[in-house]
Amino acid sequence: MQTIELGRTGQQVSRLALGAMQMGNATDEADSVRILDRYLEVGGSFIDTADCYEWWARPGSRGGESEELLGRWMRDGGRRDRVFLATKASAVPAYSPDLWAADGTANWDLARRTFAGAGARTLRDALDGSLRRLGTDHVDLYYIHVDDRATPLEETLETLAGMVEAGKVRYLGWSNVRTWRLERIRGLCERNGWPLPVAVQQQHTYLRPKAGVDTASIVDPEQLDYLRANDDQTLVAYSPILKGVYDSADKRGSHWMMADYAGPDTDARIAAVTEVAAEAGVTPNQLVLAWLLHQTAPRVVPLAGPRTPQQFEDALPALDVKLSDDQLTRLDEAGA
């Protein structure tokens, strides 16, 4: 697997990151270990988790299952030094029995109103908890998971800087964040000598959100422009294939993620993906991963989050796809 520099740090990470969100819940321990071992086998190193994964999977959970599983896996095989390890804080909701309905489904409206946030004490406690579950004395990349606009940025950034100075964190990242906030973060870091976040983790795929979509989580044209102009921050793209909608017309017609994308522009881009995928001899899902891997302005690290070992195997052919200039142009120009 090829590598890419994270920001302008000199740190190389694998070109395809592995998301461990479902590990320890939807993906059981045995299958999780198979995926993780296979990822190392093909040259992967960049593994992503969070302290909140997956509180919503079962009533009463406080999250941490993914970190605990990764801690066991790294310890059992002495694998910590082979992994560039990322985790996140700020998105564990305050405990309430009302976080789950009677049928066990999560109450996301309540969760979003009670996220832990990025205050100094909250972050210090969250990091110590993550280090304990992961069984390590440091994480390589530490994200603010959900941008917290109720806490002064100065408080958050100074706290994060202290974590870096203490050696508990090597690099910083931010997720689910608007572009103006990234610019404000940049200014504060420059003025105060604090370390700048070098990774921006956002939802990003080949499809473009439809007009009127207003969310801090999905990359928009302004954010792409910002990241092109500031290549000291690398875009880490979560949900790069939108739960696999590119391979399935039925899924595109029914999956909740399509609510932000459905429309004529998406129809045209699906047609372009289908056509180029046939030419390249891969599936549309694989083609979209390959297209992301070809992006240079800004550079993109797709974050694959397979639920099963087969889903992980299905993603691997994307690493070997070479798209011509003509194919890239046709993909880029498709749609409105």
Side-chain angles (χ1 to χ4, degrees):
M1 189 183 297
Q2 294 181 338
T3 61
I4 185 173
E5 184 181 8
L6 186 68
R8 290 201 296 263
T9 64
Q11 173 69 53
Q12 294 288 315
V13 297
S14 52
R15 200 68 179 81
L16 180 69
L18 178 65
M21 182 177 75
Q22 300 182 89
M23 294 183 181
N25 280 297
T27 307
D28 65 22
E29 185 121 3
D31 278 351
S32 296
V33 168
R34 290 188 188 97
I35 294 168
L36 290 161
D37 286 347
R38 179 70 169 133
Y39 181 61
L40 291 189
E41 181 183 317
V42 300
S45 63
F46 189 176
I47 298 177
D48 178 274
T49 186
D51 63 348
C52 67
Y53 294 157
E54 285 186 311
W55 69 262
W56 56 90
R58 57 182 175 81
S61 170
R62 303 304 293 137
E65 293 93 344
S66 172
E67 289 182 329
E68 289 171 351
L69 186 148
L70 288 173
R72 290 191 294 274
W73 173 74
M74 289 188 294
R75 180 177 58 252
D76 291 348
R79 300 178 177 94
R80 177 64 184 94
D81 291 342
R82 299 177 63 187
V83 170
F84 185 86
L85 182 62
T87 193
K88 315 180 194 76
S90 78
V92 177
Y95 177 77
S96 166
D98 295 331
L99 280 172
W100 300 270
D103 63 359
T105 57
N107 181 344
W108 282 101
D109 288 338
L110 177 59
R112 292 185 180 98
R113 295 197 303 271
T114 61
F115 281 156
R121 177 64 181 272
T122 299
L123 288 180
R124 286 193 289 266
D125 289 348
L127 177 60
D128 287 345
S130 288
L131 294 176
R132 182 178 63 254
R133 287 185 292 272
L134 290 163
T136 184
D137 62 357
H138 75 282
V139 292
D140 299 296
L141 178 60
Y142 198 52
Y143 289 98
I144 297 301
H145 197 166
V146 177
D147 189 34
D148 174 14
R149 289 163 64 173
T151 299
L153 272 174
E154 293 87 346
E155 178 181 339
T156 300
L157 289 165
E158 186 174 21
T159 302
L160 293 172
M163 293 172 174
V164 174
E165 185 176 0
K168 292 183 176 183
V169 171
R170 293 179 61 204
Y171 304 107
L172 301 172
W174 226 272
S175 185
N176 300 300
V177 59
R178 295 190 185 273
T179 306
W180 69 267
R181 291 277 287 178
L182 290 174
E183 184 60 24
R184 185 166 294 180
I185 290 164
R186 177 179 296 277
L188 287 170
C189 288
E190 289 175 350
R191 287 195 294 275
N192 292 281
W194 294 327
L196 179 74
V198 299
V200 179
Q201 188 175 138
Q202 299 284 90
Q203 184 172 310
H204 184 56
T205 184
Y206 172 67
L207 298 182
R208 297 180 287 218
K210 65 186 180 184
V213 169
D214 182 22
T215 172
S217 297
I218 301 177
V219 173
D220 61 13
E222 181 182 41
Q223 197 157 82
L224 288 173
D225 186 52
Y226 171 85
L227 292 167
R228 289 186 194 104
N230 295 282
D231 67 354
D232 52 358
Q233 295 183 311
T234 297
L235 175 58
V236 179
Y238 73 80
S239 296
I241 57 172
L242 297 177
K243 309 299 184 183
V245 300
Y246 294 95
D247 280 359
S248 170
D250 288 343
K251 187 175 285 189
R252 288 195 297 276
S254 61
H255 201 285
W256 63 267
M257 292 194 81
M258 287 300 294
D260 289 327
Y261 298 93
D265 185 68
T266 282
D267 294 343
R269 287 174 82 82
I270 289 291
V273 162
T274 303
E275 179 181 282
V276 175
E279 295 172 4
V282 294
T283 68
N285 283 339
Q286 292 164 348
L287 192 281
V288 168
L289 287 175
W291 177 80
L292 289 166
L293 291 166
H294 278 72
Q295 299 307 296
T296 58
R299 294 171 299 144
V300 179
V301 177
L303 175 61
R307 183 176 54 80
T308 67
Q310 186 58 56
Q311 287 179 352
F312 179 69
E313 293 297 330
D314 289 344
L316 292 180
L319 297 171
D320 298 319
V321 174
K322 304 300 180 187
L323 297 173
S324 68
D325 289 343
D326 172 69
Q327 289 172 324
L328 287 169
T329 297
R330 285 155 52 202
L331 289 168
D332 291 343
E333 294 181 354

